[in-house]
């Protein structure tokens, strides 16, 4: 009787609350939902509260039956707050119904998924998108991903990944925006805006999750999940800003990282999850762990058992437990034993309920379950066109000797060779969500569609990996019969991404040998690289006349590459990550410090290697075009400013070639003398402009306090008087300079 009465009151409360939930986010919406959340929490049992802090992966087999019986029971009893890896209107509806029809308080489930670079229409891998330096296009890519994902019942994406990394051995560089803090921050904002849209109250917005907090990209020696030890200066200067930019852009959830940082695993770090994230940055959403991270505190060796690891995490400020089930097992006991104050749990529950409210789930738990949307808003022509546009923009032209590219579409016979030339699966890369690789366009298909009347000869030549050269003769033969060869080389999709670190970054297997054999035919060769990280491709660079970096470009990869190969699109991408000459140079990045003994060729006792130069193969920001651009000298409107003034720097860029083209104009700053050593240069702005042949455009940058501030010797963030060098150019190594001083 008592239970029934309680149930009645609870349902009534929720009904009242639901009816009052507004459709659109209003400035005072968050104030209004506060009391409603409080009233729900006051009705919850401890077990139900802990349920809200519990996230499990989906657990049904293909017939729709639960694999773990207790999982079904957990949902029915309100012991699960969120589920991931479940999508599709029918499936998510089934789970939501199970919850709503059985659980006492009927708090809607939250459905999450790794929607990283598209949901069904797969866009280029994030590192590739970063190479576009096109923030509008990146935002649009995330928007389309959100539309598709929400059309399939999803509420929450585990993206954007904001981990800066200067170590291409780490396979997860494919998921990020590269090595640079400024570029990474702008891209993080664009992705959050794209996912979360105008208002979370709309039915096509996905809640973003900033990951992996923090400094996961610095894992030792590029080995995944490895330890991180770095100065607070480096952490704050280089690694934290992109996460903060994403939080400032409104991201409502943050994921802890697997690594430890200076001796404390992120999932147990109060310094990260509370002091920095909430107290310094004012983050008001919830923190979720990465996959089983609370359990992993045992392996890190900072907790002896389930109770201890759960206690560390909840005290650090971690709200939701992904998959370890430790909160579910331990929190109630910790409360009983007075090791954890229930208030701490209440706070975590409130943060999670708030996100559910903002999504409108209390209003209508099925508002993301529309069969019409699922039928009509997936892989539409419009989305595919946008994906192809994004893919073309993500391609970087690394070399183009004697303007071999674009190839003449009137060539009679073209050989398409290489282990990736006819691959569909690899095109959608790792973390390809619900993408169906069989719908993607291989390079071979793209070329055939573009040139229906040309003779296209294809053979694989070799596998991505392994020693087999049996197809070499065949490859050489078709190369000899052709007017040009397009050679698709690189990594398989699974060679980058999570748990995919490599210590050698050369082309795997016998691919370079294949390239050597094809090159020896004397035919014009274009190398089309497909890979998820910078590679050490010295031989290709020295020998092959034209090289295109195409990463993994998504569903429309083959069409996009064909557009670039045959001149329907002029490449404009720029590398978001340095390409090293060899693995021994790693970490190598453009914004290193000078050292007390800067490199001098004739002086042995300066900073260098005996066996390789300090220079990378291709610097950060590098990328060619079919046209050429000239840069005027840099002009400044002022050569001496005070702290609150700014300098306007300008250059005139002219398209001096024959093709219309886009150029990414890059602004770098160098602080000559400071209280601490400073990077030799730092990216502080960029603009992507389109110029017709012969056309010029003046590009202006305003350099103010934001660009000039850094962590001074006392770790106070601010400016110091001194001399600054302004560098503007086409990549980080090719710039023109002007100087000013800060009084
Ligand atoms: C990855 C996360 C991902 C999570 C859920 C983890 O292994 O590190 O990036 O969001 O799995 O799939």
């Amino acid at each position: 009787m008592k239970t029934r009465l309680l149930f009645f009151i609870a349902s009534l409360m929720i009904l009242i609350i639901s009816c009052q939930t507004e459709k659109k986010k209003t400035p005072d919406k968050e104030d209004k939902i506060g009391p409603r959340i409080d009233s729900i929490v006051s009705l919850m049992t401890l077990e139900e509260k802990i349920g809200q802090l519990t996230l499990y992966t989906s657990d049904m087999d293909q017939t729709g039956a639960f694999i773990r019986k207790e999982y079904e029971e957990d949902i029915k009893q309100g012991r699960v707050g969120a589920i991931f890896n479940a999508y599709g209107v029918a499936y998510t509806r089934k789970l939501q119904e199970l919850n709503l029809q059985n659980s006492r308080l009927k708090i809607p489930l939250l459905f999450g998924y790794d929607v990283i670079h598209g949901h069904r229409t797969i866009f280029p891998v994030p590192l590739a998108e970063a190479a576009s330096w096109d923030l509008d296009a990146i935002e649009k890519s995330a928007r389309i991903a959100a539309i598709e994902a929400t059309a399939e019942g999803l509420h929450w994406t585990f993206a954007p990944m904001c981990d800066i990394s200067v170590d291409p051995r780490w396979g997860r560089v494919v998921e990020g925006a590269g090595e640079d803090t400024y570029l990474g921050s702008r891209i993080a904002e664009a992705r959050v805006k794209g996912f979360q849209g105008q208002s979370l109250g709309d039915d096509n917005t996905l809640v973003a999750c900033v990951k992996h907090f923090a400094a996961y990209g610095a894992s030792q020696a590029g080995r995944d999940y490895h330890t991180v030890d770095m100065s607070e200066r480096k952490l704050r200067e280089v690694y934290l800003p992109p996460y903060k930019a994403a939080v400032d852009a409104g991201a409502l959830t943050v994921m802890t990282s697997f690594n430890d940082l200076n001796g404390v695993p992120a999932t147990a770090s109060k310094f990260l999850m509370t002091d920095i994230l909430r107290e310094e940055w004012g983050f008001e959403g919830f923190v979720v762990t990465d996959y089983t991270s609370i359990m992993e505190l045992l392996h890190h060796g900072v907790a002896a058992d389930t109770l201890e690891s759960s206690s560390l995490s909840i005290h650090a400020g971690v709200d939701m437990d992904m998959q370890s089930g430790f909160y579910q097992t331990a929190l109630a006991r910790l409360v009983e034993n007075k090791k954890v104050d229930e208030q701490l749990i209440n706070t975590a529950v409130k943060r999670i309920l708030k996100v559910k409210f903002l999504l409108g789930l209390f209003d209508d738990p099925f508002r993301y379950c529309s069969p019409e949307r699922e039928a009509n808003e997936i892989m539409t022509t419009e989305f595919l066109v946008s994906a192809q546009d994004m893919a073309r923009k993500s391609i970087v032209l690394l070399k183009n000797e004697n303007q071999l590219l674009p190839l003449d579409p009137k060539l009679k016979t073209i050989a398409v060779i290489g282990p990736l030339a006819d691959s569909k699966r690899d095109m959608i890369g790792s973390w390809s969500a619900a993408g169906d690789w069989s719908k993607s366009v291989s390079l071979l298909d793209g070329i055939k569609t573009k040139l229906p009347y040309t003779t296209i000869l294809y053979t694989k030549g070799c596998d991505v990996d392994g020693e087999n050269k049996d197809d070499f003769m065949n490859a050489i033969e078709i190369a000899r019969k052709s007017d040009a060869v397009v050679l698709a080389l690189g990594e398989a999709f699974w060679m980058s991404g999570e748990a995919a670190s490599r210590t050698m970054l050369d082309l795997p297997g016998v691919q370079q040998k294949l390239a050597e054999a094809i090159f020896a035919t004397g035919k014009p060769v274009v190398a089309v690289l497909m890979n998820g990280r910078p590679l050490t491709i010295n031989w290709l660079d020295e020998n092959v006349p034209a090289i295109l970096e195409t990463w993994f470009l998504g569903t429309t990869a083959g069409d996009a590459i064909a557009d670039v190969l045959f001149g329907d699109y002029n490449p404009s991408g720029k590398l978001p990550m340095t390409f090293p000459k060899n693995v021994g140079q790693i970490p190598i990045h453009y914004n290193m410090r000078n050292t007390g003994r800067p490199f001098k060729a004739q002086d042995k006792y300066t900073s260098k290697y005996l066996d390789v130069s300090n220079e990378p193969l291709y610097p950060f920001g590098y990328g060619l075009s079919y046209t050429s651009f000239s840069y005027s000298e840099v002009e400044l409107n002022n050569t001496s400013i005070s702290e609150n003034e700014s300098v306007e720097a300008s250059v005139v860029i002219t398209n001096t070639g024959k093709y219309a083209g886009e150029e990414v104009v890059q602004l770098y700053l160098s602080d000559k003398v400071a209280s601490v050593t400073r990077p030799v240069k730092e990216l502080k702005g960029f603009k992507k402009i389109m110029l017709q042949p012969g056309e010029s455009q003046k590009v202006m940058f305003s350099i103010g306090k934001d660009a000039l501030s850094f962590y001074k010797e006392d770790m106070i963030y601010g400016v110091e008087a001194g001399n600054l060098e302004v560098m503007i150019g086409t990549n980080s190594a090719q710039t023109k300079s002007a100087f000013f001083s800060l009084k």
Side-chain angles (χ1 to χ4, degrees):
M1 189 64 205
K2 204 167 148 203
T3 332
R4 277 203 181 174
L5 188 69
L6 253 177
F7 176 77
F8 175 69
I9 299 173
S11 308
L12 195 70
M13 289 289 303
I14 290 174
L15 191 72
I16 296 168
I17 292 159
S18 305
C19 292
Q20 290 169 2
T21 309
E22 299 117 281
K23 280 256 184 294
K24 296 276 167 201
K25 190 175 175 184
T26 57
D28 63 345
K29 174 160 184 171
E30 290 186 23
D31 302 338
K32 284 187 189 156
I33 60 180
R36 299 176 207 167
I37 291 171
D38 289 345
S39 66
I40 297 182
V41 173
S42 71
L43 298 170
M44 294 171 84
T45 63
L46 182 57
E47 188 183 57
E48 286 164 341
K49 289 177 192 171
I50 296 166
Q52 288 304 304
L53 314 191
T54 299
L55 165 66
Y56 280 133
T57 185
S58 120
D59 188 66
M60 279 184 184
D61 65 16
Q62 305 217 321
T63 66
F66 279 96
I67 299 163
R68 285 193 304 124
K69 226 22 204 158
E70 65 275 30
Y71 190 100
E72 182 174 1
E73 207 45 38
D74 281 344
I75 296 174
K76 287 182 174 170
Q77 299 304 324
R79 291 196 291 257
V80 179
I83 292 177
F84 68 118
N85 294 336
Y87 59 86
V89 164
Y91 187 14
T92 53
R93 175 175 282 277
K94 185 169 173 175
L95 291 168
Q96 193 71 281
E97 276 172 356
L98 189 71
N99 163 50
L100 297 174
Q101 286 164 10
N102 298 283
S103 67
R104 192 178 68 95
L105 290 179
K106 311 191 182 314
I107 298 172
L109 288 167
L110 188 68
F111 293 112
Y113 195 40
D114 288 279
V115 180
I116 309 295
H117 54 110
H119 178 64
R120 291 272 180 190
T121 306
I122 301 301
F123 280 72
V125 291
L127 187 64
E129 286 195 352
S132 74
W133 298 53
D134 189 325
L135 300 175
D136 291 338
I138 293 172
E139 180 176 336
K140 192 169 178 192
S141 152
R143 183 87 290 277
I144 291 171
I147 294 172
E148 288 191 340
T150 54
E152 291 211 285
L154 290 163
H155 310 133
W156 183 25
T157 175
F158 303 135
M161 180 176 111
C162 303
D163 304 321
I164 293 298
S165 182
V166 292
D167 197 332
R169 290 172 297 183
W170 190 53
R172 301 199 79 168
V173 298
V174 69
E175 297 172 55
E179 75 188 35
D180 184 65
T181 305
Y182 180 84
L183 179 63
S185 301
R186 301 293 77 78
I187 289 176
E189 286 160 3
R191 292 201 165 123
V192 171
K193 282 192 218 154
F195 289 132
Q196 296 198 168
Q198 294 290 321
S199 157
L200 283 183
D202 295 338
D203 64 6
N204 61 13
T205 52
L206 271 186
V207 174
C209 183
V210 181
K211 71 185 191 188
H212 307 83
F213 193 60
Y216 184 32
S219 57
Q220 185 170 304
R223 170 142 71 80
D224 206 2
Y225 316 124
H226 211 348
T227 202
V228 176
D229 203 311
M230 68 166 67
S231 68
E232 189 168 341
R233 175 177 310 286
K234 192 182 229 178
L235 178 71
R236 288 185 182 274
E237 237 168 44
V238 179
Y239 287 85
L240 292 186
Y243 307 110
K244 176 161 192 305
V247 167
D248 289 346
L252 272 175
T253 71
V254 168
M255 186 187 291
T256 69
S257 56
F258 285 127
N259 56 286
D260 66 333
L261 176 65
N262 303 336
V264 182
T267 306
S269 174
K270 180 175 167 293
F271 169 68
L272 288 175
M273 303 308 153
T274 300
D275 302 354
I276 293 190
L277 186 60
R278 298 188 190 283
E279 283 166 20
E280 277 185 38
W281 299 354
F283 173 68
E284 291 186 339
F286 72 81
V287 173
V288 61
T289 71
D290 202 345
Y291 204 102
T292 63
S293 289
I294 302 184
M295 180 278 289
E296 291 169 24
L297 297 181
L298 304 178
H299 300 304
H300 278 292
V302 295
D305 55 28
T306 322
L307 291 176
E308 225 182 313
S309 23
S310 304
S311 170
L312 280 173
S313 291
I314 196 89
H315 281 110
V318 173
D319 305 303
M320 190 183 270
D321 173 359
M322 185 197 287
Q323 197 61 17
S324 78
F326 270 33
Y327 274 1
Q328 199 184 29
T329 318
L331 281 184
R333 261 194 291 157
L334 286 166
V335 172
E336 278 161 33
N337 299 344
K338 308 233 176 313
K339 293 272 170 33
V340 167
D341 184 343
E342 192 167 344
Q343 284 310 321
L344 214 52
I345 295 174
N346 291 348
T347 305
V349 173
K350 286 179 190 174
R351 290 171 181 152
I352 292 162
L353 293 186
K354 176 172 146 185
V355 170
K356 294 185 176 182
F357 258 107
L358 292 175
L359 280 166
L361 293 179
F362 281 98
D363 196 22
D364 173 7
F366 298 105
R367 63 196 309 246
Y368 293 74
C369 273
S370 151
E372 292 73 43
R373 283 197 56 211
E374 188 174 49
N376 300 319
E377 296 184 20
I378 301 287
M379 295 189 87
T380 64
T381 308
E382 186 199 334
F383 296 169
L384 290 166
V385 167
S386 292
Q388 188 170 337
D389 180 54
M390 183 79 249
R392 304 191 312 185
K393 286 176 167 157
S394 306
I395 295 173
V396 184
L397 177 62
L398 296 176
K399 186 175 175 191
N400 197 17
E401 212 169 73
N402 301 324
Q403 301 286 302
L404 175 58
L405 285 173
L407 293 174
D408 184 350
K410 296 200 198 75
L411 291 177
K412 289 211 168 58
T413 309
I414 297 174
V416 180
I417 299 173
L420 290 150
D422 195 25
S423 168
K424 286 168 174 281
R425 174 60 193 92
D426 294 291
M427 294 307 95
I428 62 173
S430 64
W431 292 114
S432 44
D436 176 353
W437 61 261
S438 70
K439 293 188 176 146
S440 72
V441 183
S442 74
L443 174 58
L444 183 63
D445 291 344
I447 293 177
K448 282 185 177 163
T449 310
K450 168 92 46 199
L451 307 176
Y453 306 112
T454 306
T455 305
I456 310 289
L457 304 175
Y458 162 75
T459 194
K460 203 171 171 188
C462 63
D463 293 325
V464 171
D465 221 352
E467 297 301 316
N468 193 334
K469 293 187 193 164
D470 291 355
D471 199 35
F472 269 36
M473 278 321 294
N474 200 13
I476 293 166
E477 209 169 298
I478 69 162
R480 285 205 181 113
K481 287 189 197 146
S482 303
D483 302 311
V485 182
V486 175
L487 193 54
L489 305 170
E491 298 179 306
F493 79 95
W494 54 266
M495 291 178 173
S496 58
E498 188 175 347
S501 296
R502 294 179 64 203
T503 63
M504 307 276 281
L505 301 183
D506 297 340
L507 291 170
V510 291
Q511 292 186 76
Q512 185 179 311
K513 294 213 165 67
L514 175 70
E516 288 169 15
I518 301 299
F519 179 71
T521 64
K523 295 289 178 175
V525 178
V526 179
V528 173
L529 292 174
M530 298 171 176
N531 44 283
R533 57 154 65 80
L535 296 176
T536 49
I537 43 156
N538 300 291
W539 187 88
L540 289 183
D541 179 63
E542 277 158 28
N543 295 286
V544 173
I547 308 175
L548 279 180
E549 174 55 78
T550 71
W551 322 99
F552 297 118
L553 289 177
T555 308
T556 62
D559 290 328
I561 301 169
D563 284 346
V564 168
L565 284 173
F566 299 99
D568 291 330
Y569 183 82
N570 183 356
S572 61
K574 302 275 189 175
L575 295 178
M577 227 180 149
T578 304
F579 272 46
K581 286 201 160 101
N582 67 26
V583 170
Q585 288 182 316
I586 297 170
I588 179 170
H589 44 106
Y590 82 94
N591 49 358
M592 296 200 265
R593 286 169 156 77
N594 215 13
T595 83
R597 293 192 174 193
F599 170 76
K600 257 194 225 142
Q602 62 286 19
D603 187 347
K604 175 170 175 15
Y605 295 98
T606 59
S607 185
K608 55 176 163 345
Y609 302 102
L610 293 176
D611 53 354
V612 72
S613 91
N614 287 355
E615 298 309 311
L617 183 59
Y618 304 116
F620 172 81
Y622 174 80
L624 304 171
S625 163
Y626 294 157
T627 191
S628 49
F629 298 101
S630 74
Y631 280 66
S632 71
E633 293 307 316
V634 175
E635 288 198 4
L636 303 182
N637 72 338
N638 207 338
T639 52
S640 172
I641 58 165
S642 59
E643 184 173 333
N644 292 317
E645 291 176 324
S646 55
V647 168
E648 308 298 318
S650 62
V651 280
V652 177
I653 326 289
T654 306
N655 181 342
T656 51
K658 288 196 230 101
Y659 295 86
E662 284 180 288
E663 167 72 335
V664 180
V665 184
Q666 302 163 38
L667 165 77
Y668 297 87
L669 279 188
S670 164
D671 187 348
K672 293 302 167 195
V673 180
S675 59
V676 290
T677 58
R678 304 278 296 123
V680 287
K681 61 187 74 163
E682 289 175 295
L683 183 73
K684 292 292 176 180
F686 61 87
K687 287 191 178 146
K688 193 163 186 175
I689 58 168
M690 176 74 185
L691 293 176
Q692 298 302 316
E695 194 189 355
S696 295
Q697 189 177 323
K698 188 173 187 172
V699 172
M700 310 264 290
F701 293 100
S702 183
I703 304 163
K705 204 169 170 177
D706 270 2
L708 298 169
S709 298
F710 63 99
Y711 288 93
K712 297 184 275 189
E713 195 187 1
D714 52 9
M715 286 305 285
I716 305 277
Y717 191 70
V719 296
E720 275 177 5
N723 295 328
L724 283 305
E725 182 178 356
V726 177
M727 289 164 268
I728 302 182
T730 184
N731 63 58
S732 63
Q734 230 181 317
T735 55
K736 291 196 168 172
S737 297
F739 298 83
F740 71 96
S741 61
L742 182 66
K743 288 183 284 211

